[in-house]
Amino acid sequence: MAQGSIRPRRLREKTLVRKLVRETTLAVDDLMYPLFVVHGRGVREPIGSMPGQSRLSVDELVKECKDVAGMGIPAVLLFGLPAHKDPRGSEAYAEDGVVQQAVRAVKDTVPDLLIVTDVCLCEYTSHGHCGIVEDGTVRNDPTVELLARTAVSHAEAGADIIAPSDMMDGRVGAIREALDEATFTETPIMAYSAKYASAFYGPFREAADSAPQFGDRRGYQMDPANAQEAMREIALDLDEGADIVMVKPALPYLDVIARARMEFGVPIAAYSVSGEYTMIRAAGQLGWLDEERAMLEALTGIRRAGADIVITYFARDAARLLERGIR
Ligand code: PBG
């Protein structure tokens, strides 16, 4: 006989019992789908480093967003690739910038989908850094001004949620103030609060053509070794008016998500980044693991750690599986 009368397996044998006692749910409601928008028409350009993802022109994006909304996915996160890059990332805050055009078009045609916009300069600057570069370093305060302008231009286009990803100090406060001044007092900010200087962004930088032309981002993104500092960053962003805070990447930082969940009673998003996606996709394509199961397990793990919102390139695939009741 097994030790004593306690047998945890009693609750594991039957599928329906397992369902009944399951502690964590992964639902389509939790998902946010990142998309890349480019200039042009009829463009659907596969991204080499991210199999299954494409850069879309505005007309194609609108179609994609209709599909996504139809699947019940509540939100997309938009990234833009500009026509021209310059040192100040001008297209980031241009009224007719690619993201601004995209937001208007999607808002016009797909009413039941939230449009979240990434606010950063790295896709728009010729040097590929997330801000204004002077004397070889990224200058904080002049950058913050441009980020606030970018945020307002997104809100004017109709963005539902503004998501600053640059990691400059004080940018959440400055964006809040600028939005309020422009009468967007009701537009929430989802702050990339604990964003680490991660190798797992590699495939994204090819997708968004945003790799820094010199140096790296360790002067502004967080050191992967630090967790205490993540709590400080989150607290600061909340003080400055963030409505949702984010931990990014997700899988190598589940402890940071869990700790944020314990310490802060606010909605937490976790960004399962491009490298997390490609690891699972590539291993699946090679036949080295079961891609569908690995995907759902990874996303469920992120939820179990404490994330309310899971930002993932697998959103469509996961939604399809969840719809069929697979988990
Ligand atoms: C822009 C930004 C990046 C990502 C999201 N916003 C790239 C970076 O910081 O280098 C990465 C997303 C991903 O890897 O999926 N600053």
Side-chain angles (χ1 to χ4, degrees), residues 32-252:
M32 189 181 287
Y33 187 36
L35 288 168
F36 300 93
V37 57
V38 291
H39 287 280
R41 276 195 73 77
V43 182
R44 187 169 268 274
E45 187 185 356
I47 299 166
S49 56
M50 298 176 69
Q53 306 299 314
S54 300
R55 301 186 195 89
L56 307 172
S57 53
V58 172
D59 53 328
E60 291 292 323
L61 177 80
V62 166
K63 288 187 214 158
E64 182 82 16
C65 285
K66 275 188 191 144
D67 266 19
V68 167
M71 298 175 88
I73 295 170
V76 294
L77 173 60
L78 288 190
F79 295 92
L81 285 92
H84 301 288
K85 296 175 189 269
D86 61 41
R88 295 175 58 81
S90 316
E91 198 182 311
Y93 38 91
E95 202 190 316
D96 61 349
V98 71
V99 163
Q100 290 81 352
Q101 289 183 36
V103 173
R104 283 194 190 94
V106 177
K107 279 296 78 36
D108 267 355
T109 45
V110 195
D112 42 357
L113 181 70
L114 294 172
I115 311 291
V116 187
T117 54
D118 183 271
V119 170
C120 194
L121 300 183
C122 64
E123 298 106 274
Y124 301 90
T125 52
S126 38
H127 45 71
H129 277 288
C130 300
I132 300 294
V133 172
E134 275 168 29
D135 306 324
T137 63
V138 174
R139 306 269 298 142
N140 196 86
D141 298 6
T143 300
V144 167
E145 264 173 56
L146 297 183
L147 294 167
R149 259 174 85 176
T150 305
V152 171
S153 76
H154 291 179
E156 279 169 348
D160 296 291
I161 301 178
I162 301 296
S165 70
D166 51 280
M167 288 301 277
M168 297 301 123
D169 293 331
R171 94 280 205 203
V172 172
I175 289 173
R176 184 70 272 159
E177 200 177 306
L179 287 174
D180 290 353
E181 220 162 84
T183 74
F184 296 107
T185 50
E186 307 305 314
T187 303
I189 296 174
M190 175 173 80
Y192 288 66
S193 301
K195 177 173 175 179
Y196 288 89
S198 173
F200 290 93
Y201 307 152
F204 173 97
R205 290 183 185 166
E206 184 185 322
D209 187 25
S210 65
Q213 299 304 301
F214 66 91
D216 55 41
R217 302 209 202 290
R218 283 183 287 190
Y220 39 104
Q221 298 179 348
M222 283 183 55
D223 184 334
N226 296 355
Q228 191 79 30
E229 187 190 350
M231 299 307 112
R232 186 166 144 78
E233 281 282 9
I234 291 171
L236 278 169
D237 283 0
L238 289 171
D239 266 358
E240 292 178 28
D243 301 282
I244 301 170
V245 293
M246 191 200 295
V247 175
K248 176 187 172 192
L251 291 180

